[in-house]
């Protein structure tokens, strides 16, 4: 089975449109959205509508992210002022059916021995960032799956654990299949569709082929200027627009 795995869209319509157009030519069987569809960007309603349409047609599944949780909260916590401003703006624009859709999203999904989660499989609701091999090793203890895919970090990464549970880190190349050998357990961190933070402004999503046991981190150029202009037009903090161009 071939999965397209998209994380951290963050209401960036232009980035999501580009990724969906790209994956349309990749023989995808299922799309998995790893959460954080909302926050930061200027098009939360469009992103939710597009996702709901794909799900209604049986083409996709989606997970809850911490920004969705924040949108549903009366008083979000643990976010900086810029993130809180975007959440407050989006809260005022979501209809009741959109809130109900978000509230019903699960924390985890499993298919064919693959575990999908927004952040840390060991404690999904804590929203832990998997940023190094030590954290990855602990995270893998929270799942029995041979492969775990998560987002939340906004930077592509790959961790392999041996039989003793010790993990080592890799930086996956862009646009090249990476073999995920069955002799190890794997935790793959997808880069962000809507707000990459690895110095590359191009959107990032993953393609997992369970038949060949390979994952490809796809980088897709999109109209960053249009996404930034939409943020400014919405009256959101300028920092949210500027960081898109820097890939941070």
């Amino acid at each position: 089975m071939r999965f397209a795995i998209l994380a951290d869209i963050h209401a960036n319509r232009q980035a999501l449109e580009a990724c969906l157009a790209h994956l349309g030519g990749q023989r995808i069987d299922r799309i998995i959205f790893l959460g954080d569809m909302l926050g930061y960007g200027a098009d939360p309603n469009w992103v939710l509508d597009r996702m709901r349409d794909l799900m209604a047609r049986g083409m996709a599944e989606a997970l809850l992210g911490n920004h969705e949780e924040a949108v549903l909260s009366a008083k979000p916590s643990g976010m900086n002022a810029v993130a809180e401003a975007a959440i407050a703006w989006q809260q005022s624009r979501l209809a009741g059916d959109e809130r109900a859709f978000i509230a019903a999203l699960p924390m985890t999904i499993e298919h064919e021995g693959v575990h999908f989660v927004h952040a840390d499989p060991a404690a999904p609701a804590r929203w832990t960032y998997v940023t190094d091999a030590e954290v990855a090793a602990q995270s893998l203890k929270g799942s029995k799956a041979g492969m775990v895919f998560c987002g939340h970090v906004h930077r592509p990464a790959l961790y392999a654990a041996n039989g003793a549970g010790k993990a080592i880190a890799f930086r996956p190349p862009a646009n090249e299949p990476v073999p995920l050998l069955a002799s190890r357990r794997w935790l793959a961190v997808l880069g962000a569709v809507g707000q990459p933070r690895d110095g590359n402004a191009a959107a990032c999503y993953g393609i997992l082929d369970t038949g060949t046991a390979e994952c490809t981190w796809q980088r897709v150029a999109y109209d960053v200027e249009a996404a930034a202009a939409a943020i400014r037009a919405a009256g959101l903090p300028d920092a949210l627009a500027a960081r898109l161009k820097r890939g941070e």
Side-chain angles (χ1 to χ4, degrees):
M1 193 166 187
R2 286 172 62 84
F3 293 96
I5 311 167
L6 289 76
D8 300 286
I9 298 163
H10 286 300
N12 186 331
R13 173 177 180 167
Q14 290 76 13
L16 179 57
E17 284 183 319
C19 288
L20 291 176
H22 185 273
L23 69 85
Q26 301 295 319
R27 297 184 295 106
I28 299 302
D29 299 305
R30 195 90 172 150
I31 302 171
I32 306 291
F33 293 102
L34 293 185
D36 275 10
M37 289 73 71
L38 304 180
Y40 300 135
D43 287 289
N45 307 94
W46 187 92
V47 168
L48 286 177
D49 285 348
R50 190 74 177 91
M51 186 182 319
R52 291 167 74 184
D53 175 64
L54 291 168
M55 292 173 69
R57 290 190 278 152
M59 299 171 62
E61 296 176 74
L63 295 172
L64 185 79
N66 59 302
H67 281 253
E68 282 77 59
E69 182 184 70
V71 164
L72 296 177
S73 173
K75 189 176 181 181
S77 61
M79 292 185 169
N80 60 40
V82 170
E84 286 187 358
I87 291 296
W89 182 82
Q90 293 183 5
Q91 284 176 326
S92 69
R93 283 156 176 79
L94 294 183
D97 64 320
E98 292 171 319
R99 289 174 177 271
F101 166 75
I102 295 166
L105 293 173
M107 283 279 190
T108 63
I109 296 171
E110 290 198 28
H111 285 295
E112 298 190 1
V114 183
H115 187 147
F116 300 99
V117 64
H118 178 65
D120 172 16
R126 290 182 187 172
W127 310 119
T128 301
Y129 290 89
V130 181
T131 54
D132 58 40
E134 184 177 354
V135 178
Q138 291 299 314
S139 295
L140 281 168
K141 293 179 181 179
S143 175
K144 296 181 180 179
M147 300 179 192
V148 174
F149 286 79
C150 66
H152 198 42
V153 178
H154 293 225
R155 294 186 299 274
L158 179 63
Y159 302 94
N162 58 23
K166 183 177 181 180
I168 56 175
F170 299 91
R171 178 157 185 163
N175 307 317
E176 295 181 18
V178 178
L180 306 178
L181 303 178
S183 57
R184 295 180 174 179
R185 297 183 68 213
W186 300 90
L187 190 151
V189 182
L190 278 300
V193 170
Q195 195 188 87
R197 295 179 186 170
D198 62 344
N200 184 347
C204 186
Y205 79 96
I207 295 178
L208 170 66
D209 189 323
T210 59
T212 61
E214 292 178 329
C215 183
T216 306
W217 278 256
Q218 301 281 0
R219 299 309 292 248
V220 181
Y222 74 95
D223 193 341
V224 176
E225 292 291 344
I231 288 171
R232 293 190 174 103
L236 291 166
D238 186 76
L240 294 173
R243 74 187 304 174
L244 291 179
K245 302 177 185 179
R246 300 192 298 266
E248 63 180 36

